[in-house]
Amino acid sequence: GQQLNQSPQSMFIQEGEDVSMNCTSSSIFNTWLWYKQDPGEGPVLLIALYKAGELTSNGRLTAQFGITRKDSFLNISASIPSDVGIYFCAGHSRGAGGTSYGKLTFGQGTILTVHP
Amino acid sequence: DTEVTQTPKHLVMGMTNKKSLKCEQHMGHRAMYWYKQKAKKPPELMFVYSYEKLSINESVPSRFSPECPNSSLLNLHLHALQPEDSALYLCASSRYYPRASDTQYFGPGTRLTVL
């Protein structure tokens, strides 16, 4: 099946620092989605990307859909304690056919810890 | 409004119990999903409903039985579960399925513990 390699697996940063994480794949993706999940809660959509090269911001968050369609990154500027959580990238693979079409593929997640 | 609601928030059940998880959305979405998630892992797809019909069953054991009574509601009936079934169960919805561009919105999940 399709795979997304998300890195880093975890990050420990000081409040106020900027954060960068990314996802890569050997397959072409139609969409890239970034979710944040707090403990015991469901994933919350942060940013959705639909076109190669697209750069989208949501407050302190910025994400880009890679020009090759095989990668995406998420940046968080001036981190604050409430940024703590697990960040997942996810996407729909353009190359997936049959019963895989339309299914979301998830990265393994980046665990973010912010020290005050 | 991009809200998906799930009840109950927490559920503890014995291996011989029968229980149900409920999910509701009022966004007019025609696709609804059940996912299972273990701690610090990504969600794993279990079932997909499209226009109230089961489209995908990811080889889920029959002790999990989904039901879609109407376009806004999705249930997951549980019977004779095992302790390894303990997990966070997430419901999600999107406008349509399959379509390789629709955003999925997740509910808050039900934390299930099987004793």
Side-chain angles (χ1 to χ4, degrees), chain A residues 27-111:
Chain A
S27 305
I28 290 174
F29 276 70
N30 270 344
T31 60
W32 287 96
L33 307 171
W34 285 93
Y35 292 92
K36 178 184 181 237
Q37 188 171 24
D38 292 330
E41 299 292 330
V44 173
L45 182 68
L46 299 175
I47 293 179
L49 303 160
Y50 301 104
K51 290 167 59 174
E54 181 180 354
L55 182 71
T56 298
S57 293
N58 178 7
R60 294 177 296 106
L61 279 60
T62 302
Q64 184 158 29
F65 192 141
I67 198 74
T68 65
R69 295 180 175 267
K70 294 183 179 181
D71 61 345
S72 176
F73 72 75
L74 174 71
N75 287 342
I76 305 173
S77 63
S79 59
I80 58 178
S82 61
D83 290 333
V84 165
I86 302 180
Y87 291 79
F88 289 103
C89 64
H92 293 104
S93 173
R94 185 176 188 178
T99 57
S100 294
Y101 188 75
K103 291 183 187 178
L104 267 186
T105 300
F106 283 86
Q108 290 301 304
T110 295
I111 301 172

